[in-house]
Amino acid sequence: MNKQEYLARLRAALACLPEGEIEESVGFYAEMIDDRVADGMTEEEAVAQLDDPKAAARAIIADLPVVPRTVVRTKQRNRALYWTLVILGFPLWFPLLAAAALVAFTGVLVIWLLVAGLWMLAAGLLFGGPLGIVVCLWGLANGQIPYGVVELGSGLVCFGLGLFCLHGALAASRALAQVSRQWIAKMKAPFVKEKVQRAAAVPGVLAEVAKEAVDEA
């Protein structure tokens, strides 16, 4: 079997996937074959080292997140059942999907509202420093020296606390940005596959790469 025959059979076995996913998977296998041909193999020898197209397709589908994998397998087994579930199950699955999206959005929003509150507190306290100096000068100009001194001290205390809160706001922003990314990633995990997982979809690929690295060494 040459490269084109292998890729055609793989494409046919992946017909239940979206076109973009098919192109990505076929392109991945085409690149694997090209790499082996560049190393001196013939197309037939390179293809012989790969899994059967149907086995490769099963591995790619098994590597999908839970929701797309379930949809694809239902599609494979019974297309009529698939469309029945899509249409008749719409009142059930759509509210659940919308609720999951709302939970994700609400979680991220609450996190960033807390950060915004900390930034506002820091800004208010920092503003108290210059304000205290202005009030101090006003008190001194009007002969109210004790009042001016108290206001100056209050302004300096507020400015110091503002710097402290500013440092906390910066640290909290960095930490909560990471938490937000993790939260969004967890909500996306059942629906979207991370690009870095592609190599894991190919049985034996990692082992072959490791073996080649050892042989080269």
Side-chain angles (χ1 to χ4, degrees):
M1 189 188 312
N2 61 28
K3 174 183 173 181
Q4 294 304 320
E5 292 171 340
Y6 182 90
L7 296 180
R9 293 185 186 183
L10 178 61
R11 185 183 295 276
L14 294 174
C16 53
L17 294 181
E19 187 62 30
E21 184 71 24
I22 295 175
E23 292 300 327
E24 181 182 353
S25 300
V26 171
F28 179 77
Y29 276 86
E31 185 177 349
M32 289 178 59
I33 296 172
D34 290 339
D35 288 343
R36 285 165 170 74
V37 171
D39 290 337
M41 295 183 183
T42 64
E43 283 191 0
E44 288 72 14
E45 291 172 339
V47 167
Q49 290 191 348
L50 301 178
D51 293 313
D52 176 83
K54 291 185 178 180
R58 286 195 297 269
I60 292 170
I61 293 171
D63 190 54
L64 294 172
V66 176
V67 174
R69 182 170 68 242
T70 303
V71 170
V72 167
R73 286 178 174 171
T74 303
K75 225 178 187 181
Q76 285 179 320
R77 291 168 187 167
N78 192 323
R79 285 185 174 271
L81 175 62
Y82 167 75
W83 286 111
T84 301
L85 291 175
V86 169
I87 296 171
L88 298 182
F90 179 82
L92 176 63
W93 64 259
F94 181 76
L96 291 176
L97 184 61
L102 184 60
V103 168
F105 175 76
T106 303
V108 173
L109 180 62
V110 168
I111 288 173
W112 283 105
L113 283 176
L114 293 174
V115 176
L118 189 56
W119 277 101
M120 291 175 65
L121 177 61
L125 289 172
L126 288 172
F127 180 73
L131 181 62
I133 294 174
V134 171
V135 175
C136 171
L137 294 175
W138 178 85
L140 295 177
N142 287 275
Q144 300 180 15
I145 297 176
Y147 175 76
V149 171
V150 169
E151 289 300 323
L152 177 62
S154 299
L156 293 176
V157 169
C158 287
F159 191 77
L161 290 174
L163 290 176
F164 178 76
C165 288
L166 180 62
H167 176 74
L170 288 170
S173 295
R174 287 192 291 266
L176 292 179
Q178 183 177 359
V179 170
S180 297
R181 287 193 295 269
Q182 292 173 348
W183 178 261
I184 293 173
K186 286 182 180 179
M187 295 303 297
K188 288 169 55 180
F191 304 94
V192 181
K193 180 175 64 175
E194 295 293 337
K195 295 297 184 182
V196 296
Q197 295 177 348
R198 168 55 60 189
V202 186
V205 168
L206 296 179
E208 290 180 12
V209 172
K211 182 179 178 182
E212 289 176 2
V214 171
D215 292 341
E216 290 177 2

